[in-house]
């Protein structure tokens, strides 16, 4: 995984902080279930032209690279 690249691209816009076990998005509300994600739950990080994606076993989070906007896709 390339967490460093993800943080360098999206870190300022989303207020990302990373520690040894989790990634937290400071721009998300406190009650958002995706505000803090355990690093062990991230299967991959994909870079697209206008988005960055965090891939988990049950969902994919798409982070806009142009504005502070997150879209969630739940896997069937």
């Amino acid at each position: 995984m390339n967490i460093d690249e993800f943080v360098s691209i999206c870190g300022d816009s989303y207020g990302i902080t990373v520690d040894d076990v989790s990634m937290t998005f400071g721009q998300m509300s406190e009650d958002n279930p995706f505000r803090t994600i355990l690093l062990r739950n991230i299967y991959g990080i994909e870079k697209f032209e206008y988005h960055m994606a965090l891939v988990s076993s049950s969902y994919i989070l798409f982070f806009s690279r142009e504005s502070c906007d997150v879209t969630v896709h739940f896997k069937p």
Side-chain angles (χ1 to χ4, degrees):
M1 288 188 304
N2 198 348
I3 291 177
D4 292 335
E5 181 180 25
F6 179 80
V7 172
S8 70
I9 292 172
C10 296
D12 291 337
S13 298
Y14 295 95
I16 298 172
T17 56
V18 179
D19 61 26
D20 292 338
V21 295
S22 65
M23 180 182 299
T24 302
F25 302 94
Q27 296 293 349
M28 292 184 184
S29 65
E30 293 283 334
D31 61 343
N32 188 321
F34 299 106
R35 178 180 169 87
T36 300
I37 299 173
L38 295 175
L39 296 177
R40 69 175 185 240
N41 292 338
I42 300 173
Y43 285 25
I45 297 173
E46 297 293 329
K47 183 178 176 181
F48 299 101
E49 186 173 353
Y50 298 109
H51 293 85
M52 292 290 290
L54 290 182
V55 180
S56 173
S57 63
S58 57
Y59 59 85
I60 302 172
L61 296 174
F62 292 95
F63 294 83
S64 173
R65 294 171 62 181
E66 298 177 333
S67 64
C68 190
D69 184 43
V70 180
T71 303
V72 181
H73 173 78
F74 290 98
K75 295 181 182 178

